[in-house]
Amino acid sequence: MNTKELAIFVIENVGSEENVIKVVHCATRLRFTLKDRSEVNKEALQRNDDVLAVVESGGQFQVVIGGKVADVYQEIMRQTNLSQVASASAEKSQEKVGVISKAFDVISGTFSPLIPLLAGCGLLKALLTLCITFGWMVKESGLYISLSATGNAIFYFLPVFVGFTLANKLNANGYIGAVIGAALLEPNYTNLLVKGAAVVDIFGIPVIPFSYANSVFPIFIAVIAFSFLEKLLKKIILKDLQFLLVPLVSLAVIVPLSFLAFGPFGTYLGAGIANGIEVLLSFSPILTGAVLGSGYMFLVIFGLHWGIVPITLQNLQNGGDPLGPMKAGPTFAQMGVAAGVFLKTKDKKLKAIAGPAAITGMMAGVTEPILYGIVLKYRRTIPYIVISGAIGGALGASLGVELKTYSFYSMLSIPAFAPISMHVLSVTASFIIALALTYFFGYESKATVNKHQTTENVSDLKNEVNDNSNETIYLPVQGKRVSLTDVNDEVFSSGAIGKGIAIEPIEGMVTSPVNGVVTTVFPTGHAIGITSASGAEVLIHVGLNTVNLQGKYFNPIIKTGDFVQVGDKLVEFDIEKIREAGFDLTTPIIVTNTDHYLDVIPHTLSNTQEVLTLIKKQDQRHIS
């Protein structure tokens, strides 16, 4: 699908534009807040080759797209009346969301818009460090000063940015949230931080001077308080006066409270968390690193890793983040798995997925394409990442590595860590171990290997089948057999697309009529194409004109490329609902390459499981 088609497809299958309260995106996924999740066609989304995965987590319905998610998001904005701010209307979801899910949703919604800026500026700072280390630039040069200012800007003014995005996430005025953050950095206040500055008070309560540059928790607390205050003010202030009085009263109340209470409390909270991490590390850095390293992948899968971002940023304010190296290990382990699959597989399609996914991970630190395109499809690799991530995390923690500036975990961001040599050692260990495990122990389960080997050898099976034997097509749907000429559809009854037979179903299940490979699964699920081991191309079309149901009442169990045997389940369908919708359920079973055979003989009697016999041309010549 092109970007426009994919955008329209996603919106249709999350229950249409009317079911969307809000949609935002992060590095790889669309994050929907929905009114009614029962309206979602999750199966259709999962079957789409352009959708890497569907995740329900943190109160959000997440559609993982990969690297082109930003383009798909922009196309959704063009094709609908949704917008990141406007769609966050007063209309609320019908679903109940727990406190923890709501908290993760707020954190994710706050930082998702900022992650590209944080990662970009962090990488710029890392590259500047590299330039200074190798003498490519001097700190006194105008170029270094300007680029350094650029890299530092979002971190120094982080309270302003977080104030804006958090307020928007809480459906409050983002610009007031930004002003609250800016007030914490205003020179008249920051001058109080200078040694020897006079002590000031508000209503007799002394202001404790803290530096709020680079901080997260103080602005979080202040803006949450502001969101409640704003709602109260809008209830008690006349609408004609809200334009002026709501900002005035909000700022006049929240900013002083931020200096007196919210700021100091948030600072102590951040320091407490940082001290807690230090305690864990002092108790056992190896155990702490191993636990986070082994479990980090699962946080990413469910989109919960954003909950660690505020802690990371708070640690960076204190000089360095020890969590970064522990998260870098499992990230490089995922890259190792992708590289291992690329080297191991002979499947050209899988190689085309694994290679770019590994490169994207190593250069940009984005691993969702690896997770959803490889790991969750080949779950044998999950223990490899757990083991390699635990080893890399334990090494990073025990060697005292720290992240010095915010960045994704990639080869380009290596200068963001110190000491660099120890960081390289820990992530290289994760990468190599994961690659080796994948390459030497394989990435597929035994059943999957056998299945794929059979699929890859279908052409060989064709040659092994006795050319002088007829082929039998078995009953795929239980029900009454009908001559194809009696089907109320001229395309089928005329034999225009091939000879065959039809069934009037009595149960809503289609099974495979042959041993072979699934060559086509229609997006709507109403039709399946299978090529048998001896070359017969069989089409099973459930009902007439059922394509107009757009997949409703159909549930495909298999996907294109799967190997199936006689009796394997292919599609479930709801007979009663389809009939109530006014559709004829007569199901044609057609041999679309009829011209390859001398004749296709239907078995209209119900005393056998055979429904068609294919007479091969060679067989007939031998008889005559």
Side-chain angles (χ1 to χ4, degrees):
M1 287 184 175
N2 60 35
T3 302
K4 181 178 179 180
E5 291 170 339
L6 182 57
I8 294 172
F9 173 83
V10 170
I11 287 296
E12 287 177 349
N13 286 284
V14 296
S16 80
E17 178 181 342
E18 287 70 29
N19 193 39
V20 179
I21 295 175
K22 188 173 184 178
V23 55
V24 296
H25 76 89
C26 57
T28 58
R29 61 189 84 187
L30 296 167
R31 296 170 175 269
F32 290 92
T33 303
L34 302 174
K35 298 173 188 174
D36 185 358
R37 210 169 293 184
S38 66
E39 295 293 321
V40 173
N41 189 344
K42 187 175 180 179
E43 291 75 17
L45 289 166
Q46 290 173 323
R47 291 196 302 269
N48 191 300
D49 290 339
D50 292 311
V51 175
L52 297 178
V54 175
V55 180
E56 297 180 69
S57 178
Q60 296 177 333
F61 187 85
Q62 304 170 15
V63 181
V64 185
I65 301 294
K68 62 180 180 180
V69 65
D71 295 333
V72 176
Y73 174 80
Q74 291 301 327
E75 194 60 49
I76 288 175
M77 295 300 101
R78 282 192 286 268
Q79 298 297 325
T80 67
N81 293 317
L82 299 170
S83 68
Q84 187 169 335
V85 177
S87 64
S89 61
E91 195 167 8
K92 295 182 179 179
S93 171
Q94 297 173 5
E95 298 177 285
K96 292 183 178 180
V97 180
V99 174
I100 295 177
S101 293
K102 179 63 176 176
F104 276 111
D105 179 41
V106 170
I107 294 170
S108 171
T110 299
F111 286 100
S112 290
L114 300 177
I115 291 301
L117 287 172
L118 291 168
C121 290
L123 183 57
L124 176 59
K125 293 179 67 174
L127 293 176
L128 287 174
T129 300
L130 195 65
C131 289
I132 294 298
T133 302
F134 287 96
W136 300 334
M137 197 178 293
V138 293
K139 291 186 176 181
E140 293 76 17
S141 69
L143 179 60
Y144 176 85
I145 292 170
S146 62
L147 291 178
S148 180
T150 304
N152 289 331
I154 189 171
F155 297 101
Y156 183 85
F157 295 104
L158 192 59
V160 179
F161 292 98
V162 171
F164 180 80
T165 57
L166 176 57
N168 282 334
K169 180 61 185 175
L170 297 174
N171 296 328
N173 188 313
Y175 296 100
I176 296 178
V179 171
I180 295 171
L184 298 177
L185 305 173
E186 201 274 332
N188 284 321
Y189 169 75
T190 56
N191 287 338
L192 298 177
L193 302 174
V194 178
K195 187 175 181 180
V199 177
V200 298
D201 64 82
I202 300 175
F203 300 126
I205 303 173
V207 174
I208 304 174
F210 285 103
S211 174
Y212 298 117
N214 307 289
S215 66
V216 174
F217 292 111
I219 188 64
F220 244 84
I221 298 169
V223 171
I224 290 172
F226 155 64
S227 68
F228 286 106
L229 176 61
E230 185 187 53
K231 289 181 177 65
L232 175 63
L233 294 176
K234 286 183 175 180
K235 288 180 180 179
I236 62 178
I237 296 176
L238 293 174
K239 286 189 177 295
D240 292 340
L241 300 176
Q242 287 180 8
F243 177 79
L244 175 64
L245 294 183
V246 169
L248 173 64
V249 176
S250 296
L251 293 171
V253 171
I254 296 297
V255 172
L257 283 175
S258 297
F259 289 135
L260 288 173
F262 303 147
F265 178 76
T267 301
Y268 290 131
L269 175 63
I273 293 173
N275 290 335
I277 295 171
E278 288 296 328
V279 169
L280 288 175
L281 287 172
S282 62
F283 172 73
S284 176
I286 293 177
L287 179 61
T288 304
V291 170
L292 182 55
S294 62
Y296 185 66
M297 173 186 64
F298 301 102
L299 296 179
V300 176
I301 289 174
F302 293 105
L304 301 178
H305 55 303
W306 301 117
I308 304 177
V309 172
I311 301 173
T312 294
L313 294 171
Q314 186 67 39
N315 288 337
L316 290 175
Q317 184 191 20
N318 298 330
D321 174 42
L323 299 179
M326 305 179 206
K327 296 184 289 182
T331 303
F332 273 82
Q334 293 163 44
M335 302 171 200
V337 163
V341 170
F342 178 80
L343 295 173
K344 179 83 172 177
T345 187
K346 296 179 181 178
D347 185 331
K348 292 181 180 179
K349 184 176 179 181
L350 180 57
K351 194 177 285 284
I353 293 172
I359 293 171
T360 299
M362 287 187 282
M363 301 306 293
V366 176
T367 59
E368 275 87 347
I370 300 173
L371 282 174
Y372 299 112
I374 298 173
V375 175
L376 293 184
K377 290 183 179 180
Y378 302 99
R379 298 183 182 180
R380 186 185 179 94
T381 61
I382 291 177
Y384 303 162
I385 296 174
V386 171
I387 293 169
S388 307
I391 292 172
L395 277 174
S398 61
L399 295 173
V401 182
E402 287 189 336
L403 178 67
K404 293 299 182 179
T405 181
Y406 189 89
S407 181
F408 286 179
Y409 311 119
S410 68
M411 292 177 64
L412 293 178
S413 68
I414 285 175
F417 293 82
I420 291 178
S421 58
M422 297 297 100
H423 173 65
V424 170
L425 175 63
S426 63
V427 296
T428 300
S430 288
F431 181 87
I432 291 177
I433 293 170
L435 189 155
L437 289 172
T438 305
Y439 187 82
F440 291 109
F441 293 96
Y443 55 90
E444 299 173 292
S445 65
K446 184 176 180 180
T448 306
V449 170
N450 292 336
K451 180 177 175 179
H452 285 182
Q453 287 175 342
T454 309
T455 302
E456 292 169 359
N457 293 328
V458 167
S459 59
D460 296 333
L461 286 174
K462 290 181 183 179
N463 296 328
E464 293 172 8
V465 173
N466 184 350
D467 285 338
N468 290 324
S469 65
N470 298 331
E471 182 170 3
T472 299
I473 308 299
Y474 293 93
L475 185 69
V477 184
Q478 297 297 323
K480 179 183 177 182
R481 308 181 191 200
V482 179
S483 172
L484 199 61
T485 57
D486 294 332
V487 173
N488 189 26
D489 186 303
E490 187 175 350
V491 173
F492 293 117
S493 62
S494 67
I497 60 174
K499 295 181 179 181
I501 196 170
I503 309 290
E504 292 180 355
I506 58 174
E507 65 178 42
M509 176 63 71
V510 178
T511 59
S512 178
V514 295
N515 297 335
V517 178
V518 178
T519 51
T520 306
V521 179
F522 282 72
T524 50
H526 75 291
I528 302 290
I530 303 175
T531 299
S532 74
S534 57
E537 297 174 3
V538 183
L539 173 68
I540 305 167
H541 194 287
V542 182
L544 305 178
N545 299 315
T546 46
V547 65
N548 296 325
L549 287 170
Q550 295 295 312
K552 199 172 184 181
Y553 311 131
F554 289 93
N555 177 33
I557 299 170
I558 43 71
K559 62 183 182 298
T560 300
D562 283 354
F563 177 79
V564 291
Q565 295 181 320
V566 173
D568 286 353
K569 294 180 180 180
L570 304 179
V571 181
E572 296 174 338
F573 58 96
D574 192 321
I575 289 181
E576 298 304 322
K577 292 289 180 62
I578 295 173
R579 283 180 177 151
E580 288 174 7
F583 290 89
D584 184 343
L585 266 170
T586 302
T587 299
I589 295 95
I590 307 293
V591 178
T592 58
N593 61 339
T594 295
D595 58 329
H596 289 191
Y597 300 90
L598 187 67
D599 201 0
V600 176
I601 301 173
H603 297 268
T604 55
L605 299 178
S606 58
N607 61 349
T608 176
Q609 287 298 305
E610 301 174 356
V611 291
L612 297 171
T613 296
L614 313 185
I615 307 296
K616 294 191 174 183
K617 293 180 179 180
Q618 298 92 331
D619 193 7
Q620 183 63 24
R621 282 199 297 270
H622 176 74
I623 293 172
S624 59

